[in-house]
Amino acid sequence: MSKRNSMSKNSALRHWLQLFRVPNLFTVPGDPLAGFLLAYGFTHAGTALLEPRAAVAVFASLCLYAAGLAMNDLCDFAEDQRERPDRPLTSGAISRRAASLACAALAFAGISAMAAVAGKHGLVAAVVLATFIALYNGGLKRTPVIGALMMGACRGLSLLLGSVACLGQIRPMPVPVFAGGVLIALYIAAVTNLARHETRASAPPLAKMLPLAPLLGALVLLSSLSMRPFQSAVATVLAAAVVIVSAQVGGLFRADAPPLPPVIGALIRVLLVVQAALCLVYPASAHAMIVAAGLLLTLPVARAVGRRFYAS
């Protein structure tokens, strides 16, 4: 292989990694993994174990997430031509036809995987998630509040995929799965709302503060259940997420505030910490501890990759 061909292939790979926001992909597996562990722990007297079905849910979630990112750039092509001309599609590095084929193939793979692992219930869960993704990208993301909530719902449904893969059904949904899905949904909705201002001179104070609210609310709730930091693994890890988000939010109020896009990327990566906390709700097995540790160890890797690729 010639040096020129090698450089061309490396460049093409980089453009695809940019299209799929590779730093964000690190945050995807934790959703279905947490959903699987929460569902398993709820139905097995607090013992949270992983099974091969969890890997299928992770694959499906990654496929649907990546499909949504490609769809996002396809739907935003005209806007990106004006505001983000260096994106893979607007720069011409990746053709819209290639991106469309990738989007369709990934969506089909994700839906098929869930159907294979959980039958009609898996099919319904995946189709609902794909529909939400399409509705968000198709125009709802430009609607204040509703668009942000729709994006949050997509991440909450990603957690649900793990539960469906575990139980083989959607209903009844275990209470911890519902609570975990709501926490992730509200957090991502707040971050999405903040991201709406990334091409503007500044963001409103409320938008800056909002990502902290669901995490603080969850921590207060855990404290009311006597799960205080340093006395409960889940509360301790969640408290760490609150500290990290507080630091990021505080930086936005400084006179020398950093650009918003890197902050959005950092806030998205905090999902790894939140997911780790959810995995520890039922810590009666080594599986939960290993998954939580793996998610936390992924954080510096995602941060390093985020320095080379944009996340929003």
Side-chain angles (χ1 to χ4, degrees), residues 4-18 88 93-94 309:
R4 178 175 295 179
N5 287 339
S6 177
M7 291 177 62
S8 176
K9 287 187 175 181
N10 288 338
S11 177
L13 175 61
R14 181 177 178 83
H15 290 136
W16 281 103
L17 292 176
Q18 287 176 335
I94 297 175
F309 298 91

Side-chain angles (χ1 to χ4, degrees), residues 9-32:
K9 287 187 175 181
N10 288 338
S11 177
L13 175 61
R14 181 177 178 83
H15 290 136
W16 281 103
L17 292 176
Q18 287 176 335
L19 178 68
F20 293 132
R21 321 290 204 278
V22 65
N24 292 356
L25 294 182
F26 288 99
T27 72
V28 177
D31 289 338

Side-chain angles (χ1 to χ4, degrees), residues 218-292:
L219 191 59
V220 169
L221 178 60
L222 289 176
S223 297
S224 70
L225 298 174
S226 299
M227 300 176 70
R228 300 184 183 281
F230 309 113
Q231 295 178 353
S232 160
V234 58
T236 300
V237 176
L238 191 57
V242 169
V243 171
I244 297 171
V245 173
S246 297
Q248 294 293 333
V249 168
L252 293 176
F253 285 92
R254 297 199 313 259
D256 59 339
L260 193 53
V263 176
I264 297 300
L267 291 174
I268 292 173
R269 291 193 294 272
V270 173
L271 262 184
L272 289 162
V273 186
V274 178
Q275 293 159 349
L278 293 175
C279 288
L280 294 172
V281 169
Y282 297 109
S285 74
H287 288 205
M289 300 295 291
I290 291 171
V291 173

Side-chain angles (χ1 to χ4, degrees), residues 7-94:
M7 291 177 62
S8 176
K9 287 187 175 181
N10 288 338
S11 177
L13 175 61
R14 181 177 178 83
H15 290 136
W16 281 103
L17 292 176
Q18 287 176 335
L19 178 68
F20 293 132
R21 321 290 204 278
V22 65
N24 292 356
L25 294 182
F26 288 99
T27 72
V28 177
D31 289 338
L33 288 175
F36 194 98
L37 287 170
L38 287 170
Y40 197 102
F42 184 80
T43 56
H44 291 78
T47 300
L49 298 176
L50 284 181
E51 296 178 349
R53 290 172 293 168
V56 179
V58 168
F59 173 78
S61 185
L62 280 167
C63 286
L64 291 170
Y65 187 89
L69 293 174
M71 187 187 301
N72 178 78
D73 279 23
L74 286 165
C75 292
D76 285 357
F77 186 80
E79 178 183 336
D80 286 346
Q81 279 186 313
R82 298 189 304 270
E83 299 180 356
R84 306 174 186 90
D86 58 338
R87 296 259 192 181
L89 298 190
T90 50
S91 68
I94 297 175

Side-chain angles (χ1 to χ4, degrees), residues 194-200 202-203 252 258-265 312:
L194 179 59
R196 292 179 60 245
H197 305 278
E198 66 180 353
T199 59
R200 303 172 188 175
S202 62
L252 293 176
L260 193 53
V263 176
I264 297 300
S312 66

